[in-house]
Amino acid sequence: MYQNKFVQSWSWLSASWKFVIITCLVLGIFFRFVNPDGKVYQYDETFTSLRISGYTETEAVQALTDAQLVTVADLQKYQMPNSERSVVDTVKGLAIEEPQLTPLYFGLTQFWTSLFGGSVASVRTLTAIFSVLAFPLLWWFCLELFGSPTAGWVAIVLLAVSPFQILYAQEARPQSLWLVTTLISSLCLLRAMRLQTPRSWIFYGLSSIVALYSFLFAGLVVIAHGIYVLIVERFRPTKTVLMAGLAIGVSVLAFLPWLLAILSNMEQVNVVTNWAIRDRMTLSTMVKVWLHHASVSLIDWGTFTFAKPIRLVLSLLGWGVRLLLVYAFYVLCRKTPSRIWAFVVTLTVIPFVCLLLPDLISGGTRTTAMRYFVPMYLGFNLAITYLLSRNLEIAPPPSVLQQRLWRGVTIALVSCGVLSCVLIAQSDRWWSKMISNNNPAAAQLINRSERPLVISDASSGDLFSLSYYLDPKVKLLIRPQCYTCHINRDLADIPFTPEIPTGYSDVFYYQPRPTEPWLDRLKQSKPFANRMKTVSEGFDNWLWKVK
């Protein structure tokens, strides 16, 4: 049935729309796979490589601390697949040190890298493949939700050139897999509600299990699904409600082993997610971030600086996208039955609200982490998709003028997406990698020396990231801080001040996030007092040269 509709819908398209769709698909695939190692391999991604190596951070930090003087190869040992370590070691490492990260993505990546190697390009290629798999799933999903092949084509076009999707398609983290499993579980739910067969509900239950093991916050999508079923069934105990409840209950039971690992290790979870609670933002700052949320899936200029007239135009475009998004949800809720609008609204709102309330009640910055809102961006895509598809030539609007207007809007949105993706493709840094953006420049300065020595008490993730850009000739004298364990953590504000060995042409001190007490102590310590010269080429207080 779906194959026939796919062929028929394609044959009905005009030549101009076929050109637009093919062009956007080609560009979308190109942007996902072009130069996969061009951007900095950032802090979080190094922990993906650590997990697929089979080592724990505790093992790595202990060994590197004991060795003190290490090479780049010694650091890279904990970033590459190891034939002596298996996927079991990967899962154990997650359960012990980062139980908030569910194991499916890391297990698949461990298998992938055992076949194709653990290079940056290899690891990121897998996430790009997941992102491309979302294209046919989204078309199929839109056909199930809207009953319109046209909506499917529009949704694919928007997804293909979405700057948010491009960014996370080239990041070695689970977001692209989460998008795929969200689409699969959502599609299975809609099919089960339509077919009402035991087999269809079994598929929904299985897809929910896979989604839960792909990303912890897939649980918020399951909650959104449950609320959606209740809304459609008018909060009555119908067969659909009972079957959906049974499927969700079974999926939660299947996820229980990992949930127990999380609950039994909550102290560790609190340690590694402390940033979301520790950091504070004013409400006005958070609102600015949320407004950025609202436009970044369609237009994103990153941190590029432009002339004032161009900045004004870009600002107007951003506000235009936000207003269009509001109007899209208005039209969706006014023009569609609850079976349609309730799905898009719950998928968009529930994950955001579930993270917003803790921020408002107890403080924190959960809602500023855009990687947590893959379902919300999917909801944005669906709302815009409905607005555009009902007003394009293949779904004729009331007037030719209105038809031309919405063609223009569609082309404008696609153009903004393509231009954003061009900027992303040729840039070596972006807001999604701010924590490690300066490492390539720091490494370049170090590599210029004939026999450089790097002294550091940075965290293991910072050192792993830096190691990707250092030449093999660089030696390191380090006392890494452990992100997921307590090794050296009590020394965070006490600088590492070893005796400086001889035989090196230049000595550097590397610490990307120094605190004021740390800096004061370093400047007063022996043998570094009065010998520290800040290397200031756009990243003060990351790297010092010891005179």
Side-chain angles (χ1 to χ4, degrees):
M1 180 184 71
Y2 292 106
Q3 183 179 2
N4 291 336
K5 287 191 175 182
F6 180 88
V7 174
Q8 290 175 0
S9 67
W10 181 256
S11 64
W12 292 339
L13 293 172
S14 64
S16 58
W17 281 113
K18 287 180 180 179
F19 174 78
V20 170
I21 293 168
I22 292 174
T23 301
C24 288
L25 281 173
V26 171
L27 288 175
I29 294 172
F30 171 77
F31 287 133
R32 282 162 172 78
F33 288 97
V34 66
N35 197 19
D37 54 356
K39 290 182 178 56
V40 58
Y41 201 62
Q42 57 106 353
Y43 189 101
D44 288 347
E45 291 178 291
T46 67
F47 276 86
T48 295
S49 292
L50 176 66
R51 297 306 163 203
I52 64 179
S53 76
Y55 290 100
T56 63
E57 188 187 13
T58 303
E59 291 175 309
V61 169
Q62 189 64 67
L64 294 170
T65 300
D66 292 344
Q68 288 198 350
L69 190 63
V70 300
T71 64
V72 173
D74 292 326
L75 285 167
Q76 283 289 298
K77 170 185 176 181
Y78 303 103
Q79 295 289 286
M80 295 294 161
N82 186 337
S83 60
E84 297 179 359
R85 304 279 174 131
S86 68
V87 69
V88 174
D89 298 295
T90 295
V91 174
K92 284 182 178 178
L94 285 170
I96 294 171
E97 294 187 333
E98 296 185 279
Q100 82 283 358
L101 297 176
T102 48
L104 181 59
Y105 168 77
F106 299 92
L108 292 173
T109 306
Q110 200 276 343
F111 175 74
W112 172 270
T113 55
S114 69
L115 296 176
F116 301 103
S119 67
V120 172
S122 173
V123 178
R124 286 177 171 169
T125 294
L126 180 60
T127 57
I129 291 173
F130 289 141
S131 186
V132 171
L133 288 177
F135 293 171
L137 289 169
L138 183 59
W139 187 89
W140 190 2
F141 171 77
C142 286
L143 184 62
E144 193 69 49
L145 178 65
F146 298 117
S148 167
T150 298
W153 293 118
V154 173
I156 287 177
V157 166
L158 295 178
L159 186 75
V161 297
S162 166
F164 175 83
Q165 300 298 339
I166 296 295
L167 284 173
Y168 284 100
Q170 288 197 327
E171 185 155 313
R173 298 301 276 178
Q175 273 68 29
S176 290
L177 178 62
W178 186 20
L179 172 64
V180 168
T181 57
T182 297
L183 283 168
I184 293 173
S185 63
S186 299
L187 174 61
C188 288
L189 174 63
L190 295 180
R191 279 179 54 81
M193 293 178 69
R194 176 171 59 84
L195 299 176
Q196 292 294 340
T197 62
R199 182 181 179 182
S200 63
W201 286 111
I202 289 172
F203 276 124
Y204 172 62
L206 292 174
S207 66
S208 295
I209 294 170
V210 173
L212 288 170
Y213 276 99
S214 70
F215 201 81
L216 183 62
F217 286 164
L220 302 180
V221 176
V222 173
I223 293 173
H225 286 173
I227 294 174
Y228 166 71
V229 172
L230 290 174
I231 292 174
V232 171
E233 298 299 312
R234 302 178 184 274
F235 295 90
R236 296 172 299 179
T238 62
K239 177 183 176 182
T240 299
V241 170
L242 295 176
M243 293 300 292
L246 179 61
I248 290 173
V250 170
S251 65
V252 173
L253 284 176
F255 187 63
L256 194 58
W258 198 261
L259 189 59
L260 290 175
I262 295 173
L263 295 175
S264 62
N265 209 3
M266 277 304 296
E267 182 179 352
Q268 180 67 14
V269 174
N270 292 333
V271 167
V272 296
T273 60
N274 182 53
W275 63 269
I277 303 171
R278 179 192 66 239
D279 298 336
R280 293 288 187 273
M281 282 189 179
T282 63
L283 183 59
S284 61
T285 301
M286 294 185 75
V287 169
K288 290 179 182 178
V289 175
W290 299 339
L291 289 173
H292 183 55
H293 278 328
S295 61
V296 75
S297 65
L298 294 170
I299 181 172
D300 183 9
W301 309 112
T303 56
F304 275 83
T305 55
F306 298 95
K308 189 174 181 180
I310 298 178
R311 290 202 306 271
L312 178 61
V313 172
L314 296 179
S315 178
L316 292 174
L317 286 172
W319 279 106
V321 168
R322 296 176 191 116
L323 293 174
L324 184 69
L325 191 60
V326 172
Y327 180 65
F329 274 98
Y330 170 78
V331 172
L332 180 78
C333 295
R334 285 291 304 271
K335 301 295 184 181
T336 64
S338 61
R339 185 189 67 82
I340 296 176
W341 69 257
F343 190 94
V344 179
V345 170
T346 54
L347 186 67
T348 305
V349 172
I350 299 302
F352 182 75
V353 169
C354 287
L355 295 177
L356 171 65
L357 291 178
D359 279 356
L360 295 179
I361 295 171
S362 59
T365 57
R366 302 166 187 84
T367 50
T368 64
M370 284 183 272
R371 62 187 179 274
Y372 292 157
F373 296 105
V374 169
M376 183 180 76
Y377 290 118
L378 178 58
F380 288 172
N381 179 293
L382 294 173
I384 295 289
T385 290
Y386 177 76
L387 177 65
L388 297 179
S389 63
R390 72 187 300 270
N391 286 294
L392 294 175
E393 63 179 355
I394 37 184
S399 68
V400 174
L401 180 62
Q402 186 175 349
Q403 185 183 68
R404 290 176 177 173
L405 171 65
W406 287 106
R407 285 184 192 175
V409 170
T410 303
I411 296 302
L413 288 176
V414 171
S415 299
C416 286
V418 170
L419 291 174
S420 299
C421 293
V422 169
L423 292 177
I424 291 171
Q426 59 87 42
S427 174
D428 63 352
R429 58 182 65 194
W430 212 257
W431 54 259
S432 59
K433 301 181 184 297
M434 289 298 293
I435 195 170
S436 303
N437 266 347
N438 292 329
N439 279 340
Q444 187 177 25
L445 286 170
I446 295 168
N447 293 336
R448 291 175 186 170
S449 299
E450 185 179 351
R451 294 183 307 279
L453 172 70
V454 176
I455 300 172
S456 180
D457 59 2
S459 69
S460 62
D462 291 315
L463 291 167
F464 289 144
S465 175
L466 182 69
S467 72
Y468 283 89
Y469 306 98
L470 292 175
D471 289 343
K473 67 183 178 181
V474 179
K475 299 295 188 294
L476 301 100
L477 187 58
I478 58 177
R479 187 193 67 194
Q481 294 178 28
C482 191
Y483 170 64
T484 63
C485 63
H486 293 283
I487 300 176
N488 298 334
R489 183 175 291 165
D490 55 338
L491 302 175
D493 285 332
I494 302 175
F496 178 47
T497 56
E499 289 296 325
I500 301 175
T502 59
Y504 296 95
S505 60
D506 297 282
V507 178
F508 299 90
Y509 205 115
Y510 169 78
Q511 173 53 265
R513 280 174 296 281
T515 63
E516 287 299 327
W518 184 93
L519 279 172
D520 291 339
R521 288 174 177 173
L522 180 67
K523 292 174 182 178
Q524 298 170 10
S525 64
K526 293 182 179 181
F528 297 91
N530 301 318
R531 298 184 64 188
M532 305 295 293
K533 178 183 178 182
T534 302
V535 178
S536 55
E537 292 192 13
F539 50 97
D540 291 351
N541 290 344
W542 271 60
L543 188 70
W544 297 264
K545 190 172 183 179
V546 182
K547 298 178 183 178

